[in-house]
Amino acid sequence: MKFKALLLGTAATFAFAGGNAVAADLSVAEPVDYVRVCDAFGSGFWYIPQTDVCVAIGSRVRLGATFDDGAGKSEDDDWVWETKADANLTMSKMTDYGPLTTYISFDSGHVNGSGASSWVLDEAYFSFGPATIGYTGSVSNASIGYTDSDFKLIKADANTINLAFAVDGIGLFLGIENPQDRWGSSNAASVPDISLAIEAEVGSVALFGSALIAAEACNNDSAFAVAGTAETSFDMVDLQIGGMFGSSECGPEGGNGFGVQDGWAAGGSARVNWTDTFQTAGSVWWAEPDGAADSWGGAATLFFQPTDGMEIFIDAGFDEDGLGAIGAEVAEQLRKFIGRIGS
């Protein structure tokens, strides 16, 4: 009995001592700082631990093929196979004077065996209250087309100071932009470009209008452009129309400038959202530049998003010369087919 009591007492002593050891370990353990969801700036944000800064990280991969049998293209150039990727980081916090946000994005791609391009800065800016300062799209930017190939009415990315205001449901925008980003680094302009824009909704129609004024474009000549679009949706269909008028002695450089250097253009587009992950779209546009032949073109695109952050598309672009070449090829193949039947 004494021996059994001794064993029991020893076991109890060990258990008591072990329990104290565990309790001591728990008492000094660091508290776990779980990542908290931040819903102040939309979905996808979370708080950086031990701060009041919200962050969101985004990325997208696009895989696609574009067919364009335009004038001057060889058969090897008809199809363009491409893979593109972009990544972005947004950081926001609330201050006593409103939200403060910084945004940066990069993109890269691989097109038709040309080798992968390095990561290139796409946008970088910060916004505070009504002001956005940095490298981003012009407030006057406007385009026609839900398709992958669209028609740029006014297009530029620039180092800019943008101001945005809302008055009775109407958005008003002002941009003061570096002219060299639009007209080329060789332009010695010292006067910034001025961009203006307005947007509003009338019933189910979203309206957008913009203007660009360049006091010193290429060769210190002035340039201006105005553009406007209207969009609406019903059931699973989205519709858009738009147009622009521009006057400039400079051609667009690096994809920037006007859709028509000197003249006007108009067009429309439609998109059918068959499901949340599959859409088809078509676009057509017409341009009448001063001193040059009229032209028209368009595009059709199939889009598929198998998962968030990934898109697969097939795009076909055409113009009057390209359709003529396609029509001639179809006629030639039909002639050969009929000839084989007759023989």
Side-chain angles (χ1 to χ4, degrees), residues 13-105:
T13 301
F14 283 139
F16 181 74
N20 284 342
V22 173
D25 291 341
L26 288 176
S27 65
V28 298
E30 293 293 331
V32 177
D33 196 356
Y34 293 101
V35 174
R36 295 178 296 141
V37 173
C38 172
D39 56 7
F41 304 100
S43 62
F45 283 84
W46 41 273
Y47 284 102
I48 297 177
Q50 300 182 11
T51 74
D52 59 353
V53 178
C54 298
V55 62
I57 300 174
S59 63
R60 184 177 65 158
V61 174
R62 304 186 73 234
L63 312 172
T66 300
F67 177 81
D68 187 354
D69 193 11
K73 290 193 171 186
S74 67
E75 292 183 1
D76 294 336
D77 293 332
D78 289 347
W79 282 97
V80 177
W81 303 90
E82 59 183 292
T83 300
K84 295 183 178 180
D86 59 69
N88 59 77
L89 172 68
T90 307
M91 300 180 67
S92 301
K93 67 173 293 183
M94 293 299 299
T95 71
D96 294 337
Y97 304 98
L100 171 64
T101 297
T102 61
Y103 177 85
I104 185 170
S105 66

Side-chain angles (χ1 to χ4, degrees), residues 199-219:
E199 64 179 16
E201 290 190 7
V202 179
S204 62
V205 180
L207 302 174
F208 176 82
S210 65
L212 172 74
I213 304 168
E216 296 180 358
C218 305
N219 304 317

Side-chain angles (χ1 to χ4, degrees), residues 257-276:
F258 306 159
V260 177
Q261 174 182 336
D262 197 9
W264 65 271
S269 184
R271 177 175 58 200
V272 180
N273 303 288
W274 301 101
T275 68
D276 292 338

Side-chain angles (χ1 to χ4, degrees), residues 273-307:
N273 303 288
W274 301 101
T275 68
D276 292 338
T277 61
F278 179 67
Q279 307 86 35
T280 58
S283 304
V284 64
W285 47 82
W286 178 273
E288 288 196 6
D290 291 342
D294 300 344
S295 62
W296 63 271
T301 311
L302 303 177
F303 296 101
F304 176 55
Q305 300 86 26
T307 185

